[in-house]
Amino acid sequence: MPGIPLVDLAVQHDQVADEVALGWAEVLKATSFVGGPQVSAFEQEFAEFCRVAHCVGVGNGTDAVELALRALRIGPGDECVLPANTFIATAEAVARTGAKPVLVDCDPETALLDADAARAAVGPRTRAIVPVHLYGQPAPVELLDGLGVPVVEDAAQAQGARRHGVSAGGLGDLAATSFYPGKNLGAYGDAGAVLTCDAEFAERVRLLRAHGSPRKYEHAELGFNSRLDTLQAVVLSAKLRRLDGWNAARRAAAVRYDALLADLPEVRRPVVLPGNEPVWHLYVVRVAERDRVLAQLNAEGIGAGVHYPTPLHLTGAFGSLGHAAGSFPVTERLAGEILSLPLFPEITAAQQERVIDVLSEAVR
Ligand SMILES: *Cc1c(COP(=O)(O)O)cnc(C)c1O
């Protein structure tokens, strides 16, 4: 049997190829590569999809987190609380504003932000909490209510997910998302967006993403050059029309993995937090001797991976925060056990059976 990739972008491209080609031909003919009606159309479509009032397209997901924080005027001297168990971009964006990332541990069952730890980490300088909807399931943001601290969702892995019926992106005061190619809604390059129901925040992100410029050559303040480009907007609109279907296919694949793993006690299946409708950006199991198991899967052509192997506080980038090994024990333990299995909307039952066959061999 041929290898099974972690994510298969080619089979997804086949489904939108004609639409993208037509849309791109129009952009090329108009030679209008930045901005234009395609970008505003996508922003409106994605805002509707997430059921928020405003979507502002930006250059990538990392900038989206930073711009959302800057909309809140967060900067040096401020603190933002976020999970140690996330992709580095979340903490990087906080640090780039000049604020201090205050890391907290994660829940041992769901691997999501530990809300009690987050509440306990809030102090007089805390200007935002940044929960991450890791692996496609929303963090329990309602447990962060009542602190008087804005919530900025990192929704990069959760396009279309819901918590108690509310879409990821609409659970906090602002949200950031990424359309990196491998995300559930992926562009053909870098792209991202900020979501909010607050018109003033949206306006501020629009200003900041384009040189702090309300009108050409007028610069109210220092900004960025971080825009969603027109060619990407065409791809994203074409894919957005199919996203609910693709997410449903991911859900069905997750259900199938759950069933295939039911009799394999050596493998811990993912736990869904009650109230969540995840979109299964990743299907992450836990095993003992993960590195050996991973190597065996990879050797058999199965593109399993680890998200993420090094907790943020143990990376070179964030060593300066001064947290020794042992500071976030749950995150550290999970980093040695987690294993992401291949999952994409078009994965077949035969492919999933093969993954579990090889995994069963490896863990026994
Ligand atoms: C992908 C990702 C980002 C960053 O997005 P980029 O578009 O790659 O900058 C931020 N946070 C999380 C949790 C992500 O998975």
Side-chain angles (χ1 to χ4, degrees):
M1 196 184 220
I4 301 167
L6 183 65
V7 176
D8 190 339
L9 296 179
V11 31
Q12 188 165 83
H13 173 65
D14 291 345
Q15 300 167 61
V16 292
D18 292 348
E19 214 172 310
V20 168
L22 280 174
W24 279 8
E26 265 178 46
V27 177
L28 295 177
K29 196 164 166 216
T31 63
S32 161
F33 301 111
V34 174
Q38 291 89 344
V39 173
S40 25
F42 171 71
E43 288 177 332
Q44 178 142 11
E45 290 156 14
F46 195 62
E48 280 165 22
F49 179 83
C50 297
R51 295 188 237 162
V52 296
H54 310 279
C55 166
V56 185
V58 301
N60 58 71
T62 312
D63 282 358
V65 179
E66 183 176 354
L67 286 161
L69 297 171
R70 287 189 186 266
L72 291 164
R73 299 181 190 277
I74 288 171
D78 298 333
E79 294 181 357
C80 298
V81 174
L82 70 144
N85 186 33
T86 178
F87 181 54
I88 192 156
T90 321
E92 211 172 23
V94 169
R96 282 196 332 203
T97 66
K100 181 182 171 197
V102 174
L103 303 180
V104 296
D105 213 346
C106 66
D107 179 274
E109 295 299 319
T110 61
L112 296 168
L113 174 85
D114 176 335
D116 290 335
R119 294 183 73 94
V122 168
R125 290 172 182 270
T126 308
R127 297 288 317 283
I129 304 176
V130 190
V132 179
H133 305 322
L134 200 66
Y135 309 150
Q137 88 159 310
V141 287
E142 74 283 358
L143 301 179
L144 308 171
D145 283 350
L147 294 164
V149 178
V151 168
V152 175
E153 300 164 68
D154 182 337
Q157 302 189 358
Q159 291 104 2
R162 293 198 182 90
R163 172 144 188 83
H164 297 306
V166 180
S167 296
L171 290 160
D173 297 278
L174 289 134
T177 199
S178 163
F179 307 119
Y180 181 78
K183 301 284 155 91
N184 287 38
L185 180 60
Y188 290 173
D190 281 308
V194 176
L195 303 162
T196 184
C197 285
D198 183 303
E200 271 177 47
F201 291 155
E203 203 38 51
R204 210 169 136 65
V205 174
R206 282 185 199 286
L207 204 72
L208 290 172
R209 75 172 169 181
H211 307 294
S213 177
R215 273 166 297 280
K216 202 162 194 180
Y217 304 128
E218 193 178 305
H219 304 287
E221 61 182 304
L222 280 183
F224 288 61
N225 175 8
S226 185
R227 294 171 293 223
L228 172 65
D229 79 56
T230 319
L231 293 170
Q232 300 308 338
V234 168
V235 174
L236 292 169
S237 285
K239 287 194 171 187
L240 183 59
R241 287 189 261 288
R242 295 160 173 90
L243 184 58
D244 278 332
W246 286 338
N247 282 341
R250 285 175 183 271
R251 209 164 288 137
V255 167
R256 190 177 299 124
Y257 269 142
D258 278 347
L260 290 168
L261 289 169
D263 300 321
L264 198 63
E266 293 89 347
V267 178
R268 277 186 70 178
R269 295 176 289 181
V271 173
V272 175
L273 189 67
N276 271 355
E277 293 168 55
V279 289
W280 300 101
H281 175 59
L282 292 166
Y283 186 91
V284 178
V285 299
R286 295 189 218 164
V287 294
E289 298 180 58
R290 193 271 323 282
D291 288 340
R292 183 188 57 75
V293 172
L294 174 66
Q296 200 161 327
L297 285 163
N298 291 164
E300 298 268 357
I302 290 169
V306 177
H307 301 86
Y308 297 90
T310 311
L312 295 186
H313 61 293
L314 304 178
T315 62
F318 289 106
S320 58
L321 292 176
H323 302 293
S327 303
F328 303 107
V330 180
T331 299
E332 290 171 36
R333 177 160 49 79
L334 292 185
E337 298 175 355
I338 49 179
L339 179 69
S340 309
L341 302 183
L343 184 80
F344 44 92
E346 304 80 7
I347 194 168
T348 65
Q351 286 176 312
Q352 290 190 270
E353 283 157 19
R354 163 98 180 124
V355 170
I356 300 307
D357 281 348
V358 177
L359 180 61
S360 318
E361 283 289 312
V363 295
R364 281 200 175 122

